[in-house]
Amino acid sequence: MTRPERTCDLVMKGGITSGVVYPLAIYELSRSYRFQNIGGTSAGAIAAVVAASAEYGREVGGFEKIKALPDSLSKTLLEKFQPVPELASLFKLTIAVLRGGLLNIVWSLLRNYWLSAAIGALPGAALLAYGIFAANWGFGLLGVLCMVLLGLGLAGGSVVRQITRQLPGKGYGMCPGVGQPGFEGMALSDWLTETIDDVAGIDEDREVPASLSGFSNTKKYKKPLTIGDLLSKGINVATVTTDVTSQRPYKLPMENNLHFFSRREFLTYFPERVVLHMCATSSPVDSNTVENADGDLFYFQNTNDLPVVVLARMSLSFPFLFTTVALYRCDYTFRSPTDRKRAVKCHFSDGGISSNFPVHFFDQFLPQTPTFGISLDQLDERRYTGEQNEARRKGQEDAGDRVQLPTDAADGWLLPTKSFDGVAGFIMALLNSAKDWQDTLQSILTGYRERIVTVSLRQDEGGLNLEMPPERIARLTEFGHAAGTRITRDFDLDEHRWRRLLVEMGALEEKLASFSESYRSTRIGKAYGDLATDHKSGAYADLSDQQRNLLKERAEKLADLCTSWSGEPNIRDDKNMPRTRSGIRNVAEMGH
């Protein structure tokens, strides 16, 4: 593939199996753009690391390999989800629930928990036998009723016990990521590791260090693609994960080195060669830092040596479907020195819990290159013409009808309504509102929405539909191709930059006015300018007089700039300015 002159960034939304939309979208964009920064959450994170790998291997056919992925995924999607043996019955029941149908669910419950059902049915069977023997149909009917109720009850009790007792011990998920006994094909982490290296075109053997000789019988291992490999070609990848123990999101790779990983536990999430490389490029945690008698804990290095597959797996940890990924850290808020040295287990779950569409990734104040977003939404027939709906029902719709890119200034600034039914629907709407509101509002801002293409999917497409037939998966990839085509055909970079200039100048002007007013105010004491040079502080007391004077000088220049505009019209107040409004504020970085 030729190397395009133009560059872009790309962010993709999470959606579990909806990620099959992305390969052809990525391929289509790659024909017109080189990817510099690529990010995503959950399924979007998988697409991001594979796209980054393809950019790394562009000269050896990386994107042609991505183009071929949908065909293999259409035949092997379900096998990526492999539960541990202890929870295989729960996984099968989950699949039945996702398929729907009361009889189907009941049959799956009885078939997968037959022993519990049989034990529960014994008293009823005894009553039934007595009723038949005594020709007492009342006892017989009572026996049948007891068999059904007690059998289902005991089987249901086994399900509850698995969920409440076994699931927490397995990292609150059924599928760890690596292959499990009794399953054919490659599980998610195995497949993803191989796919990344194949798409990138790397095949490098490394010697297993002598210090790890007791850990593995192999003398060599195949090195996985790493963050450093990507950076060597100017490619940056980022994903989102959620540390539910600390109750916060993290951007991966993290920008701190607070965490440790367990060698034994990581072997349940990743192929051996990935864990070998992480151990070979790190070191066991110092026992002076944390208790690590058996040497199982290693420093989790957020350096160039971190395999990129780790970024994807830590982002795709959909609750109860995939296990959380465990990292450890010391908690220095504990009082006791002994408690501080005991590593606390932190459960990293799906990035979509905190930011399912991190459209803010890679954003610049005045962008010089576009950061495209590919979003996923639910299809509502009320937003289509009768002819389009009829064509969809007949399987004859144009794939482009599922794709929206609001290029007109009047498009996309209104949020669509999303109907729901029943208590379960209400609860899901509550959860989605809590976790997605920031991404949602960011996505409709002027200067953002015209770079985000949205693919609308039916309820039986993507999401938790783990058993989609090949033809449906193929159809979803066509929507992705249409999304990539729409961006390359309709996106106008200069128009995008013009809109960003309008929005950001308005927001800057408003924030500078507030800054200037507060900077000079003496309403509650010294003005900020005097604080800059005179305040005797216990915090940051080592700032030099030179730094203090520089702080005051630059702050006054900003305040003077806004004062010089006094009496002039405000940019933001013009009736022809963009309707959507944004504010500038300090926001905590996810990576720290």
Side-chain angles (χ1 to χ4, degrees):
M1 177 179 282
T2 57
R3 184 178 172 86
E5 291 297 321
R6 293 184 293 175
T7 61
C8 76
D9 304 332
L10 179 62
V11 177
M12 290 165 283
K13 190 175 185 177
I16 316 176
T17 64
S18 303
V20 298
V21 166
Y22 295 130
L24 290 192
I26 292 167
Y27 174 79
E28 191 61 31
L29 284 172
S30 73
R31 298 171 64 190
S32 301
Y33 295 92
R34 285 182 290 113
F35 296 113
Q36 286 187 318
N37 301 292
I38 314 168
T41 297
S42 195
I46 290 180
V49 300
V50 174
S53 307
E55 188 61 70
Y56 180 89
R58 179 182 283 269
E59 285 75 21
V60 293
F63 287 107
E64 282 73 16
K65 293 174 182 176
I66 277 189
K67 187 179 180 182
L69 280 178
D71 185 55
S72 63
L73 281 173
S74 68
K75 303 179 181 69
T76 62
L77 184 61
L78 184 59
E79 72 183 30
K80 305 292 181 284
F81 304 87
Q82 298 187 14
V84 294
E86 300 93 320
L87 298 174
S89 55
L90 183 62
F91 181 78
K92 292 174 184 176
L93 179 62
T94 302
I95 294 294
V97 172
L98 293 174
R99 287 177 187 157
L102 181 60
L103 290 178
N104 179 51
I105 295 171
V106 170
W107 171 241
S108 178
L109 176 65
L110 294 176
R111 183 177 58 184
N112 291 297
Y113 295 88
W114 64 268
L115 182 58
S116 297
I119 294 172
L122 284 176
L127 281 174
L128 176 61
Y130 174 79
I132 293 173
F133 179 78
N136 188 323
W137 297 113
F139 271 105
L141 289 173
L142 180 62
V144 170
L145 183 62
C146 288
M147 286 178 65
V148 172
L149 293 180
L150 294 177
L152 288 175
L154 208 60
S158 296
V159 174
V160 172
R161 281 193 296 274
Q162 278 198 308
I163 292 173
T164 58
R165 297 181 185 179
Q166 288 184 283
L167 204 60
K170 296 298 180 182
Y172 300 94
M174 296 176 283
C175 305
V178 297
Q180 298 298 310
F183 289 87
E184 296 181 358
M186 288 191 288
L188 180 73
S189 294
D190 301 319
W191 170 82
L192 186 55
T193 303
E194 295 300 319
T195 298
I196 288 170
D197 291 349
D198 178 57
V199 168
I202 67 166
D203 188 6
E204 177 188 343
D205 286 340
R206 290 279 182 94
E207 297 283 343
V208 176
S211 60
L212 299 176
S213 59
F215 165 42
S216 175
N217 295 324
T218 61
K219 302 297 182 184
K220 293 183 178 181
Y221 67 92
K222 182 182 175 184
K223 174 189 163 296
L225 185 73
T226 64
I227 293 172
D229 293 328
L230 296 178
L231 291 175
S232 70
K233 291 193 176 184
I235 306 162
N236 177 52
V237 65
T239 67
V240 181
T241 186
T242 304
D243 178 3
V244 294
T245 306
S246 301
Q247 299 183 11
R248 56 154 295 178
Y250 270 104
K251 183 178 79 171
L252 298 172
M254 301 177 191
E255 296 173 24
N256 64 49
N257 286 297
L258 299 175
H259 295 88
F260 328 119
F261 71 93
S262 161
R263 185 176 62 186
R264 284 190 292 268
E265 288 180 333
F266 259 52
L267 283 171
T268 67
Y269 314 135
F270 301 102
E272 183 185 43
R273 64 187 181 94
V274 172
V275 184
L276 268 173
H277 185 76
M278 293 181 68
C279 293
T281 55
S282 182
S283 58
V285 178
D286 190 331
S287 294
N288 291 322
T289 302
V290 69
E291 296 174 2
N292 189 26
D294 60 357
D296 179 59
L297 292 178
F298 282 70
Y299 289 103
F300 185 75
Q301 304 281 18
N302 292 292
T303 62
N304 291 354
D305 291 310
L306 184 65
V308 296
V309 68
V310 176
L311 276 62
R313 174 62 182 86
M314 287 185 67
S315 186
L316 180 62
S317 299
F318 191 81
F320 307 118
L321 183 58
F322 283 102
T323 63
T324 60
V325 174
L327 293 180
Y328 295 80
R329 70 177 176 92
C330 297
D331 189 335
Y332 293 108
T333 66
F334 292 155
R335 291 288 185 180
S336 166
T338 302
D339 290 335
R340 292 181 182 184
K341 286 190 65 175
R342 292 196 182 108
V344 178
K345 188 173 187 175
C346 298
H347 292 272
F348 284 79
S349 192
D350 198 85
I353 296 171
S354 46
S355 180
N356 204 34
F357 186 36
V359 68
H360 61 280
F361 270 7
F362 321 126
D363 195 37
Q364 299 177 35
F365 213 54
L366 290 174
Q368 301 302 314
T369 57
T371 299
F372 296 125
I374 304 179
S375 184
L376 305 166
D377 206 349
Q378 66 184 36
L379 183 144
D380 190 326
E381 289 195 347
R382 292 172 292 181
R383 297 190 176 93
Y384 293 84
T385 66
E387 291 78 7
Q388 288 173 321
N389 289 327
E390 183 63 25
R392 184 179 307 111
R393 283 189 281 270
K394 292 179 179 178
Q396 299 172 351
E397 71 174 331
D398 184 340
D401 289 344
R402 294 287 195 97
V403 175
Q404 292 83 40
L405 180 67
T407 54
D408 190 277
D411 293 338
W413 67 279
L414 292 174
L415 278 176
T417 57
K418 297 182 180 181
S419 302
F420 55 85
D421 294 314
V423 174
F426 177 65
I427 292 173
M428 285 303 301
L430 289 176
L431 293 174
N432 289 334
S433 299
K435 71 185 185 69
D436 291 339
W437 70 269
Q438 294 184 79
D439 296 339
T440 299
L441 293 181
Q442 193 78 24
S443 298
I444 63 169
L445 284 176
T446 301
Y448 282 81
R449 62 178 182 265
E450 69 272 6
R451 62 178 175 84
I452 299 171
V453 64
T454 302
V455 180
S456 296
L457 303 177
R458 299 182 318 214
Q459 287 193 349
D460 62 348
E461 296 172 333
L464 282 169
N465 294 290
L466 308 184
E467 295 184 292
M468 287 187 293
E471 58 272 15
R472 191 177 304 159
I473 293 175
R475 187 61 175 153
L476 264 61
T477 64
E478 292 177 15
F479 301 149
H481 181 267
T485 301
R486 182 70 57 85
I487 292 174
T488 55
R489 186 189 69 197
D490 296 344
F491 178 78
D492 185 331
L493 179 56
D494 281 345
E495 176 66 22
H496 169 61
R497 293 171 67 213
W498 160 244
R499 297 183 191 183
R500 286 296 290 267
L501 178 63
L502 295 179
V503 170
E504 287 169 4
M505 277 301 298
L508 269 173
E509 181 186 65
E510 185 172 78
K511 186 58 66 175
L512 280 174
S514 173
F515 176 88
S516 178
E517 180 181 353
S518 297
Y519 181 76
R520 300 191 187 286
S521 174
T522 57
R523 183 169 59 88
I524 58 171
K526 288 183 179 180
Y528 274 93
D530 295 329
L531 283 175
T533 54
D534 302 340
H535 180 61
K536 303 303 180 185
S537 172
Y540 314 108
D542 293 334
L543 276 177
S544 65
D545 290 341
Q546 180 181 4
Q547 282 294 106
R548 284 173 171 263
N549 288 327
L550 182 62
L551 173 66
K552 180 176 181 178
E553 176 188 340
R554 293 188 177 175
E556 289 187 345
K557 285 181 179 179
L558 284 174
D560 289 343
L561 176 62
C562 189
T563 302
S564 69
W565 298 336
S566 178
E568 298 179 8
N570 291 327
I571 293 174
R572 211 171 202 180
D573 292 341
D574 192 293
K575 66 179 181 180
N576 295 311
M577 286 288 286
R579 298 186 189 185
T580 54
R581 296 174 67 88
S582 60
I584 299 172
R585 62 188 178 94
N586 283 329
V587 178
E589 290 283 349
M590 282 188 187
H592 291 280

